[in-house]
Amino acid sequence: MAHRSAAFVAVDWGTSHLRVWLLAADGSILAERRSDQGMAATPREHFESVLDAHLDALAVPADIPVIMCGMVGSRQGWVEAGYLPVPVSLDRIPDNAARVDGVARDIRILPGLSKTDLAAPDVMRSEETQLFGLIRLSPVADDMQRIVCMPGTHSKWVHMEGTSVIDFASFITGDMYAVMAAHSVLHHSLSVDPVDPKSPAFKTAVEASLNSPADFLARLFSIRAAGLLHNLSPADARASLSGCLIGQEIAGALPRFSMPDKIDLVAGNMPGTLYAEALAIAGIQCRSHDGDALVIAGLTGAATALWKNRSVERGGTSR
Amino acid sequence: MAHRSAAFVAVDWGTSHLRVWLLAADGSILAERRSDQGMAATPREHFESVLDAHLDALAVPADIPVIMCGMVGSRQGWVEAGYLPVPVSLDRIPDNAARVDGVARDIRILPGLSKTDLAAPDVMRSEETQLFGLIRLSPVADDMQRIVCMPGTHSKWVHMEGTSVIDFASFITGDMYAVMAAHSVLHHSLSVDPVDPKSPAFKTAVEASLNSPADFLARLFSIRAAGLLHNLSPADARASLSGCLIGQEIAGALPRFSMPDKIDLVAGNMPGTLYAEALAIAGIQCRSHDGDALVIAGLTGAATALWKNRSVERGGTSR
């Protein structure tokens, strides 16, 4: 079964995580490794040895190439892979990969996307690879408009037309949620349990931010006051903080883009569930996509574009 | 000069600071001590010894009473002093002071104010003492409406009528500024220098938050992107963060209250200068008041109400 032999290694190397997949030419997963050796926890001079350790553990032959995305391509990463300014066709991503010099193996890092607008500049890195996966797994006509919501530490909302990214905006939502929960006065008030998307406290907070986004800073303080005066439960306090933030993000995103009947939501985990619920409260329907599946599809697409002849050549000799 | 003899000790004991003033009956300062032994840094069982050390250093006789305000009166403080729900006349503050039991000296802690509204509960503690000082230093007619802006970790906007507080709202502005600057992705981008209130970056950010408060979370991320794409300077990045936050607070405060020609701004330091500038950008004129002078006037007013006969009695025997 030639199509099941190892064709390349795909790596998503972000600030806080490292994921490595050994993939067949068709993108099917042969083996997988996950680690918390993110960029932030890894000194620059260890990037090569960290990656090698994972490749050794998977017994990857020396002639198998590696395709990577994420913060590994940032200025603080291994090799800077730059940004492609939007509007841009995602098909240009593979050709703009940066090659890692001074290593025997063929290792490439995919570029991010940028919006160079002077008043509201923006960047993404790794989400472009998920979007490249999205157009492979969920293709649409060339002139089809869609809006993609990608929750995260720095959530992205993306306006696409066919295989092109026309515009996007980032929101500091997840980052603010984490630092306010850990370090602000609200840390006295919050449970550590995950938020129940169906809790009335979450719904009330989403609605409040949608209805009066100007009141955001007062709304956050009132979570603390509700704990002091009305014995707001720690679970409801956390649901309120989450709902305020996600509602505020949606309040900012809605007027930026012309919303279709259904948007695409990229997330397979807890934040995805919360966003789906918050979007429903805002009257927005969505179809959900698994983030891991998209990044693997994007890396596979890039690897195929870069090395398509090579994998065909190998197909005949490998088992 | 009987009026220059020590009549009482005034203490402002907050989360991060402790200030002790030895005052004459007319509120004039005879001696002063400042320390970073705030509530957060002081175990509960040390409250008494910390205060005693400062009183000993000032050689305060055992029969001189102490009046305190701030987080020392919170549930996590020395003795809980409760909250007076608004609307309320500030004249009720002294009578609602909590007495510290189990100590020889007469020590009282002033209560805070609360707003028990179920949808938007709110609390203040120590600002009520500044407001009590404001009506002494800057008295107005009984039916005179005024709006007071009190910048801080949890900024307050207060609607007063004569000597009464009718309504107020807290904003988590200063707290969010500190935690986002220290812990979010923005910490890579910011200088440590104070913000120049006259910098164009500050003005642009204030105007942006006033004009589109729904975009707040995107605006904060774009500070990071501007550093990556446009070499935004660390000083301008900090000015942008400050302007975004203060502008967002003002955007939330303006529609809540009917604004008079001039509002009262309580702050004598850097945040006060930034708020005065941001308010001017929003078209709001203000008269500034020194926060320290107000808290001393408030504590003096409360001490006078509590111990007026006593200080007259002492007047005859002291120097």
Side-chain angles (χ1 to χ4, degrees):
Chain A
M1 298 205 300
H3 69 282
R4 296 290 294 168
S5 68
F8 62 96
V9 172
V11 175
D12 178 5
W13 204 342
T15 302
S16 59
H17 66 270
L18 167 62
R19 292 179 302 172
V20 180
W21 295 278
L22 183 62
L23 298 177
D26 66 354
S28 55
I29 300 171
L30 306 178
E32 175 177 355
R33 292 177 64 85
R34 292 169 181 258
S35 122
D36 56 5
Q37 292 159 304
M39 288 284 114
T42 309
R44 178 183 286 265
E45 64 272 22
H46 293 176
F47 291 154
E48 185 175 355
S49 59
V50 166
L51 179 62
D52 278 346
H54 288 283
L55 298 180
D56 287 350
L58 293 170
V60 179
D63 64 339
I64 295 275
V66 175
I67 186 84
M68 305 203 280
C69 70
M71 294 308 286
V72 66
S74 71
R75 203 170 300 168
Q76 288 77 39
W78 193 350
V79 173
E80 185 172 8
Y83 299 103
L84 299 177
V86 297
V88 69
S89 167
L90 293 170
D91 293 330
R92 293 193 49 218
I93 286 181
D95 284 345
N96 284 279
R99 183 147 182 181
V100 178
D101 290 327
V103 292
R105 194 184 296 271
D106 188 351
I107 303 178
R108 319 268 182 122
I109 305 176
L110 299 180
L113 302 186
S114 67
K115 182 174 163 183
T116 56
D117 186 290
L118 267 179
D122 215 327
V123 291
M124 70 165 66
R125 192 175 284 288
S126 87
E127 292 89 352
E128 75 295 324
T129 304
Q130 292 183 311
L131 294 170
F132 193 50
L134 180 67
I135 60 174
R136 299 183 77 236
L137 295 185
S138 167
V140 292
D142 279 354
D143 61 350
M144 170 83 171
Q145 311 287 317
R146 63 177 159 186
I147 301 295
V148 188
C149 170
M150 313 177 84
T153 304
H154 304 134
S155 297
K156 313 293 178 193
W157 284 70
V158 185
H159 171 200
M160 297 185 70
E161 180 180 296
T163 61
S164 293
V165 170
I166 305 300
D167 188 17
F168 70 97
S170 302
F171 297 78
I172 203 161
T173 318
D175 199 346
M176 184 179 284
Y177 178 76
V179 303
M180 292 300 285
H183 301 291
S184 81
V185 71
L186 299 179
H187 89 266
H188 297 294
S189 308
L190 306 179
S191 74
V192 295
D193 301 324
V195 174
D196 173 5
K198 294 295 184 189
S199 73
F202 180 75
K203 181 166 193 261
T204 301
V206 169
E207 288 171 340
S209 280
L210 288 171
N211 292 335
S212 60
D215 270 338
F216 181 67
L217 297 176
R219 190 171 301 120
L220 290 194
F221 184 79
S222 77
I223 296 171
R224 171 65 174 156
L228 293 171
L229 297 180
H230 299 320
N231 294 313
L232 181 73
S233 76
D236 282 349
R238 182 170 284 274
S240 295
L241 175 61
S242 173
C244 281
L245 277 157
I246 296 175
Q248 188 79 11
E249 176 183 323
I250 296 173
L254 291 190
R256 283 174 181 264
F257 305 107
S258 165
M259 290 289 159
D261 290 341
K262 237 181 198 182
I263 70 169
D264 293 275
L265 175 65
V266 177
N269 44 15
M270 172 49 70
T273 315
L274 292 170
Y275 273 72
E277 186 65 28
L279 287 165
I281 291 168
I284 310 283
Q285 300 306 309
C286 58
R287 69 183 75 77
S288 288
H289 304 271
D290 179 71
D292 281 1
L294 293 189
V295 79
I296 292 169
L299 289 165
T300 300
T304 305
L306 284 168
W307 299 306
K308 50 181 173 285
N309 297 326
R310 190 179 170 288
S311 71
V312 170
E313 287 161 20
R314 285 181 49 85
T317 58
S318 65
R319 184 58 348 165
Chain B
M1 299 205 301
H3 69 281
R4 296 290 296 169
S5 68
F8 62 96
V9 171
V11 175
D12 178 5
W13 205 341
T15 303
S16 58
H17 67 268
L18 167 61
R19 291 179 304 173
V20 180
W21 296 278
L22 182 62
L23 298 177
D26 65 355
S28 55
I29 301 172
L30 306 177
E32 176 177 355
R33 292 177 64 84
R34 291 169 181 258
S35 121
D36 55 4
Q37 293 159 303
M39 287 285 113
T42 309
R44 179 184 287 262
E45 65 271 23
H46 293 175
F47 292 154
E48 185 176 355
S49 59
V50 165
L51 179 63
D52 278 346
H54 288 283
L55 298 180
D56 288 350
L58 293 170
V60 179
D63 64 339
I64 296 274
V66 175
I67 187 86
M68 304 203 282
C69 70
M71 294 306 287
V72 65
S74 71
R75 204 169 300 167
Q76 289 77 37
W78 192 350
V79 173
E80 185 172 8
Y83 299 102
L84 298 176
V86 297
V88 69
S89 167
L90 293 170
D91 294 329
R92 292 192 48 217
I93 286 181
D95 284 345
N96 285 279
R99 182 147 183 180
V100 178
D101 290 327
V103 293
R105 194 184 297 272
D106 188 352
I107 303 178
R108 318 270 181 120
I109 305 177
L110 299 180
L113 302 185
S114 67
K115 182 175 163 181
T116 56
D117 185 288
L118 267 179
D122 215 327
V123 291
M124 69 165 66
R125 193 176 283 288
S126 87
E127 292 90 350
E128 75 296 324
T129 304
Q130 292 184 310
L131 295 170
F132 193 51
L134 180 67
I135 60 174
R136 300 182 76 235
L137 296 185
S138 167
V140 293
D142 279 355
D143 60 349
M144 170 86 170
Q145 311 287 316
R146 63 176 161 188
I147 300 296
V148 188
C149 169
M150 312 176 85
T153 303
H154 304 133
S155 297
K156 313 294 177 192
W157 285 69
V158 185
H159 172 200
M160 297 184 70
E161 180 180 295
T163 62
S164 292
V165 170
I166 306 300
D167 188 17
F168 70 97
S170 301
F171 297 78
I172 203 162
T173 317
D175 199 346
M176 182 179 285
Y177 178 76
V179 304
M180 292 300 285
H183 302 290
S184 81
V185 72
L186 298 179
H187 88 266
H188 298 295
S189 308
L190 305 179
S191 74
V192 294
D193 301 325
V195 174
D196 174 5
K198 293 296 183 187
S199 73
F202 180 75
K203 181 167 192 259
T204 301
V206 169
E207 288 171 340
S209 280
L210 288 171
N211 292 335
S212 61
D215 271 338
F216 181 67
L217 297 176
R219 190 171 301 121
L220 290 194
F221 185 79
S222 78
I223 296 171
R224 171 65 173 156
L228 293 171
L229 297 180
H230 300 320
N231 293 313
L232 181 73
S233 75
D236 282 349
R238 183 171 284 275
S240 295
L241 175 62
S242 173
C244 282
L245 277 156
I246 296 175
Q248 187 79 12
E249 175 183 323
I250 296 173
L254 291 190
R256 283 174 181 264
F257 305 108
S258 165
M259 290 288 161
D261 290 341
K262 238 180 197 183
I263 69 169
D264 293 276
L265 176 64
V266 176
N269 45 14
M270 171 52 69
T273 316
L274 292 169
Y275 272 73
E277 186 65 29
L279 287 166
I281 292 168
I284 310 284
Q285 301 306 309
C286 59
R287 68 182 76 78
S288 288
H289 304 271
D290 179 71
D292 281 1
L294 293 189
V295 79
I296 291 169
L299 289 165
T300 300
T304 304
L306 284 167
W307 299 305
K308 51 181 173 286
N309 297 326
R310 187 179 171 289
S311 70
V312 169
E313 288 160 21
R314 284 183 49 84
T317 58
S318 61
R319 185 122 352 111

